Amino acid sequence: MTAQDLGRWEPASPNEVRELMAAVDAPWWIAGGYAIEFAVGEPFREHADIDILLLRRDQLAAQQALPGWEWWAADPPGVLRPWAVGEILPARVHDVWCRPSADAPWRLQFMLDESDGEDWVSRHHPRIRRPLKDIGFVNADGIPYLAPEIQLMYKANGARPKDELDFAAMLPKLEAPQRRWLREAMALAYGERPWMARLAD
């Protein structure tokens, strides 16, 4: 499936994600722009999709929890192809799109990330890690979401306009330890990035 015929998105709401993921016997976190919005504490931009972070080791747990859905893996350099039931995706695949049926809009996007025992490990550098229990929060509606400094680290590489909006909204709310962690993680993952100077304590 190419960029010309990807189909339309009607992303699930975070509350719908919580309901859909209730049967998943593995940790997961809302990621992307919604994670930043939850950390900021109020909506500040629209969302074209919804991202869910899942550990690579748990990839089949979500697939098994939504039987009958269509699953498509984003195989670099960006071609979507069907993800077969029970298939273990190769390490190069980080994104998975899914929808209830072939004629339905896309509802969920899963981001697969790495782990080592009880640690989350960034796919960008093995030294960027933290205990799994410390990589996220739970909002008032009981929805787990990724810690904002981790989400911003991933956004820093491309820094699209929506990423700049997210960074600007979150920057005043980042505490000193979060700023230091983000600077150090960006340096390991990408080298110098424009956001670093704005993260001074």
Side-chain angles (χ1 to χ4, degrees), residues 36-97:
I36 302 300
E37 181 175 291
F38 290 158
V40 169
E42 61 183 3
F44 60 89
R45 69 170 177 86
E46 295 183 352
H47 303 277
D49 59 11
I50 190 163
D51 300 325
I52 305 164
L53 181 71
L54 192 68
L55 300 179
R56 183 173 298 279
R57 70 188 185 197
D58 298 324
Q59 59 184 273
L60 295 183
Q63 193 187 64
Q64 292 162 358
L66 297 173
W69 281 51
E70 275 206 348
W71 297 80
W72 290 69
D75 237 334
V79 175
L80 281 180
R81 54 93 169 170
W83 180 21
V85 174
E87 175 193 357
I88 301 299
L89 294 171
R92 68 178 182 274
V93 174
H94 307 296
D95 300 332
V96 177
W97 293 19

